[in-house]
Amino acid sequence: AVAFRLDGEAVDGIPSAEPVRDDTFLVMMNGERVPLPFTAPSRELGEAWRVVLDTRESPRNGQVVAASAGIELEAGSLVVLVAT
């Protein structure tokens, strides 16, 4: 199992007059054969997260997950959230 955050505020590879910004994403993957609990990042990294992709049978797309809230990933699933 793995989770990682892609920080939209950290995009800084192109010199320009204005800073380049994008959305911040949280990607969680469960490669195990059993469901696993994950925890959304604390408030310092975002007040809430919205599910934009969920590969499980009954997806929760659009669901909002509060900071530090638990979220269970089904076996072999992938969930992508965007900071709101």
Side-chain angles (χ1 to χ4, degrees), residues 43-67:
R43 290 191 188 276
E44 292 84 28
L45 298 178
E47 290 291 318
W49 300 82
R50 183 175 40 83
V51 178
V52 293
L53 175 69
D54 185 347
T55 62
R56 70 184 198 157
E57 284 185 30
S58 53
R60 52 188 141 208
N61 295 344
Q63 176 184 346
V64 175
V65 177

Side-chain angles (χ1 to χ4, degrees), residues 13-54:
I14 304 169
S16 66
E18 295 183 31
V20 178
R21 289 187 170 75
D22 197 4
D23 290 327
T24 296
F25 294 94
L26 177 64
V27 180
M28 299 178 293
M29 298 178 277
N30 178 9
E32 298 294 324
R33 295 181 182 197
V34 296
L36 289 177
F38 283 77
T39 303
S42 62
R43 290 191 188 276
E44 292 84 28
L45 298 178
E47 290 291 318
W49 300 82
R50 183 175 40 83
V51 178
V52 293
L53 175 69
D54 185 347

